[in-house]
Tab-separated table of all heavy atoms in Angstrom:
chain	number	residue	atom	x	y	z
B	163	LEU	N	27.920	29.991	1.682
B	163	LEU	CA	28.699	31.222	1.981
B	163	LEU	C	29.440	31.087	3.287
B	163	LEU	O	28.939	30.525	4.242
B	163	LEU	CB	27.730	32.467	2.067
B	163	LEU	CG	27.343	33.015	0.709
B	163	LEU	CD1	26.343	34.133	0.850
B	163	LEU	CD2	28.582	33.499	-0.049
B	164	CYS	N	30.631	31.614	3.288
B	164	CYS	CA	31.470	31.553	4.515
B	164	CYS	C	30.967	32.640	5.483
B	164	CYS	O	30.828	33.778	5.123
B	164	CYS	CB	32.909	31.825	4.109
B	164	CYS	SG	34.081	31.647	5.456
B	165	ALA	N	30.685	32.182	6.698
B	165	ALA	CA	30.052	33.045	7.644
B	165	ALA	C	30.840	34.295	8.015
B	165	ALA	O	30.306	35.431	7.973
B	165	ALA	CB	29.792	32.236	9.004
B	166	ASN	N	32.142	34.177	8.269
B	166	ASN	CA	32.895	35.287	8.762
B	166	ASN	C	33.634	36.093	7.612
B	166	ASN	O	34.321	37.060	7.861
B	166	ASN	CB	33.926	34.869	9.825
B	166	ASN	CG	34.679	33.608	9.418
B	166	ASN	OD1	34.195	32.812	8.599
B	166	ASN	ND2	35.865	33.477	9.886
B	167	ASP	N	33.480	35.664	6.372
B	167	ASP	CA	34.024	36.379	5.253
B	167	ASP	C	33.174	36.191	4.077
B	167	ASP	O	33.223	35.166	3.386
B	167	ASP	CB	35.467	35.958	4.953
B	167	ASP	CG	36.110	36.783	3.884
B	167	ASP	OD1	35.351	37.556	3.162
B	167	ASP	OD2	37.352	36.751	3.738
B	168	ARG	N	32.296	37.152	3.820
B	168	ARG	CA	31.278	36.932	2.804
B	168	ARG	C	31.795	36.951	1.357
B	168	ARG	O	31.048	36.754	0.415
B	168	ARG	CB	30.146	37.962	2.958
B	168	ARG	CG	29.275	37.636	4.190
B	168	ARG	CD	28.049	38.455	4.208
B	168	ARG	NE	28.306	39.879	4.309
B	168	ARG	CZ	27.493	40.816	3.957
B	168	ARG	NH1	26.246	40.503	3.472
B	168	ARG	NH2	27.765	42.083	4.046
B	169	ARG	N	33.094	37.214	1.238
B	169	ARG	CA	33.740	37.062	-0.113
B	169	ARG	C	33.962	35.605	-0.416
B	169	ARG	O	33.928	35.156	-1.552
B	169	ARG	CB	35.059	37.774	-0.148
B	169	ARG	CG	34.971	39.264	-0.143
B	169	ARG	CD	36.374	39.854	0.087
B	169	ARG	NE	36.997	39.336	1.275
B	169	ARG	CZ	38.204	39.759	1.713
B	169	ARG	NH1	38.900	40.643	0.933
B	169	ARG	NH2	38.724	39.338	2.801
B	170	ALA	N	34.256	34.874	0.659
B	170	ALA	CA	34.679	33.476	0.465
B	170	ALA	C	33.520	32.485	0.369
B	170	ALA	O	32.363	32.852	0.767
B	170	ALA	CB	35.586	33.100	1.637
B	171	VAL	N	33.809	31.289	-0.128
B	171	VAL	CA	32.777	30.307	-0.314
B	171	VAL	C	33.308	28.981	0.283
B	171	VAL	O	34.418	28.573	-0.026
B	171	VAL	CB	32.508	30.121	-1.812
B	171	VAL	CG1	31.694	28.856	-2.043
B	171	VAL	CG2	31.735	31.288	-2.363
B	172	ASP	N	32.486	28.440	1.154
B	172	ASP	CA	32.894	27.157	1.806
B	172	ASP	C	32.419	25.972	0.970
B	172	ASP	O	31.293	25.972	0.517
B	172	ASP	CB	32.310	27.094	3.215
B	172	ASP	CG	33.169	27.757	4.244
B	172	ASP	OD1	34.308	27.926	3.985
B	172	ASP	OD2	32.595	28.094	5.333
B	173	VAL	N	33.297	25.007	0.832
B	173	VAL	CA	32.964	23.861	0.080
B	173	VAL	C	33.080	22.631	1.004
B	173	VAL	O	33.970	22.583	1.841
B	173	VAL	CB	33.866	23.639	-1.166
B	173	VAL	CG1	33.417	22.464	-1.974
B	173	VAL	CG2	33.883	24.917	-1.974
B	174	ILE	N	32.167	21.607	0.830
B	174	ILE	CA	32.211	20.446	1.650
B	174	ILE	C	31.810	19.248	0.763
B	174	ILE	O	31.044	19.409	-0.154
B	174	ILE	CB	31.256	20.665	2.890
B	174	ILE	CG1	31.585	19.611	3.947
B	174	ILE	CG2	29.809	20.663	2.478
B	174	ILE	CD1	31.001	19.973	5.315
B	175	ILE	N	32.375	18.124	1.109
B	175	ILE	CA	32.094	16.968	0.311
B	175	ILE	C	30.759	16.320	0.799
B	175	ILE	O	30.392	16.431	1.971
B	175	ILE	CB	33.286	15.890	0.465
B	175	ILE	CG1	33.105	14.734	-0.570
B	175	ILE	CG2	33.298	15.297	1.887
B	175	ILE	CD1	34.363	13.893	-0.711
B	176	THR	N	29.994	15.719	-0.100
B	176	THR	CA	28.723	15.095	0.217
B	176	THR	C	28.930	13.616	0.443
B	176	THR	O	29.966	13.093	0.196
B	176	THR	CB	27.710	15.235	-0.927
B	176	THR	OG1	28.165	14.570	-2.039
B	176	THR	CG2	27.423	16.679	-1.230
B	177	LYS	N	27.911	12.993	0.963
B	177	LYS	CA	27.883	11.554	1.159
B	177	LYS	C	28.206	10.791	-0.150
B	177	LYS	O	29.037	9.943	-0.222
B	177	LYS	CB	26.529	11.109	1.699
B	177	LYS	CG	26.466	9.730	2.342
B	177	LYS	CD	25.410	9.638	3.389
B	177	LYS	CE	25.099	8.178	3.782
B	177	LYS	NZ	24.208	7.419	2.870
B	178	GLN	N	27.596	11.305	-1.168
B	178	GLN	CA	27.803	10.677	-2.492
B	178	GLN	C	29.234	10.877	-2.932
B	178	GLN	O	29.831	10.000	-3.598
B	178	GLN	CB	26.830	11.332	-3.543
B	178	GLN	CG	25.406	10.849	-3.323
B	178	GLN	CD	24.448	11.751	-4.074
B	178	GLN	OE1	24.339	11.729	-5.308
B	178	GLN	NE2	23.787	12.613	-3.321
B	179	GLY	N	29.807	12.038	-2.639
B	179	GLY	CA	31.235	12.286	-2.973
B	179	GLY	C	32.135	11.263	-2.243
B	179	GLY	O	33.052	10.734	-2.823
B	180	MET	N	31.824	11.094	-0.980
B	180	MET	CA	32.596	10.120	-0.154
B	180	MET	C	32.468	8.712	-0.764
B	180	MET	O	33.449	8.001	-0.863
B	180	MET	CB	32.096	10.092	1.280
B	180	MET	CG	32.418	11.339	2.119
B	180	MET	SD	34.216	11.521	2.350
B	180	MET	CE	34.488	10.184	3.625
B	181	GLU	N	31.278	8.415	-1.152
B	181	GLU	CA	31.033	7.061	-1.694
B	181	GLU	C	31.794	6.746	-2.940
B	181	GLU	O	32.400	5.696	-3.102
B	181	GLU	CB	29.529	6.802	-1.895
B	181	GLU	CG	28.820	6.461	-0.634
B	181	GLU	CD	27.260	6.617	-0.750
B	181	GLU	OE1	26.797	6.880	-1.835
B	181	GLU	OE2	26.622	6.494	0.317
B	182	VAL	N	31.801	7.766	-3.873
B	182	VAL	CA	32.556	7.503	-5.094
B	182	VAL	C	34.055	7.359	-4.831
B	182	VAL	O	34.739	6.504	-5.393
B	182	VAL	CB	32.222	8.609	-6.177
B	182	VAL	CG1	32.860	9.898	-5.866
B	182	VAL	CG2	32.716	8.133	-7.581
B	183	LEU	N	34.562	8.182	-3.879
B	183	LEU	CA	35.974	8.008	-3.487
B	183	LEU	C	36.264	6.652	-2.940
B	183	LEU	O	37.258	6.051	-3.234
B	183	LEU	CB	36.340	9.092	-2.500
B	183	LEU	CG	36.729	10.476	-3.017
B	183	LEU	CD1	37.167	11.397	-1.836
B	183	LEU	CD2	37.803	10.399	-4.066
B	184	GLU	N	35.319	6.161	-2.137
B	184	GLU	CA	35.551	4.841	-1.496
B	184	GLU	C	35.551	3.737	-2.529
B	184	GLU	O	36.204	2.694	-2.389
B	184	GLU	CB	34.467	4.575	-0.456
B	184	GLU	CG	34.843	5.231	0.878
B	184	GLU	CD	33.637	5.507	1.767
B	184	GLU	OE1	32.606	4.860	1.554
B	184	GLU	OE2	33.746	6.449	2.592
Side-chain angles (χ1 to χ4, degrees):
Chain B
L163 279 177
C164 184
N166 47 334
D167 185 346
R168 288 192 298 161
R169 289 170 302 183
V171 167
D172 274 339
V173 185
I174 196 164
I175 192 168
T176 63
K177 195 153 169 276
Q178 288 162 75
M180 288 295 286
E181 279 165 7
V182 72
L183 277 184
E184 278 156 23

